[in-house]
Amino acid sequence: MASWLADVLLHDLDEELSGMTGYYVRYSDDMLFIGKDYGKAMQVLEQKLGEKSMKLNPKKVEYLMSDAGSSFSGSASRGT
């Protein structure tokens, strides 16, 4: 049920981020955006969530460099 609810609530966000230059994927409330527009993607994400009285958990936001390993929806190596 939680995945379905996330799909309904975040549909407009999915549409906007999917139309940006880059690669966007979301599974329930875990999101991944890869591309040069990551800064704009974060602005859109924060704006759209704010409109829904939601916000990001800063402890779970990661910026990774292209040479850093990552495990989507799990622990990740942080790039510098």
Side-chain angles (χ1 to χ4, degrees):
M1 183 75 163
S3 273
W4 176 83
L5 187 56
D7 287 345
V8 171
L9 288 173
L10 300 175
H11 178 74
D12 61 331
L13 173 67
D14 292 342
E15 290 289 315
E16 190 158 351
L17 292 179
S18 293
M20 297 178 72
T21 303
Y23 174 74
Y24 169 72
V25 64
R26 179 180 58 78
Y27 178 76
S28 195
D29 65 343
D30 293 319
M31 301 171 196
L32 175 67
F33 185 89
I34 300 171
K36 292 182 179 181
D37 283 348
Y38 71 89
K40 179 158 175 51
M42 285 299 295
Q43 290 174 348
V44 168
L45 177 59
E46 290 174 345
Q47 175 194 356
K48 293 290 186 183
L49 291 178
E51 291 170 4
K52 300 172 188 330
S53 299
M54 301 167 77
K55 62 182 181 177
L56 293 173
N57 180 344
K59 293 179 181 178
K60 295 188 176 185
V61 174
E62 296 186 55
Y63 292 96
L64 303 173
M65 303 303 290
S66 62
D67 60 343
S70 177
S71 172
F72 182 55
S73 188
S75 62
S77 302
R78 295 182 187 269
T80 55

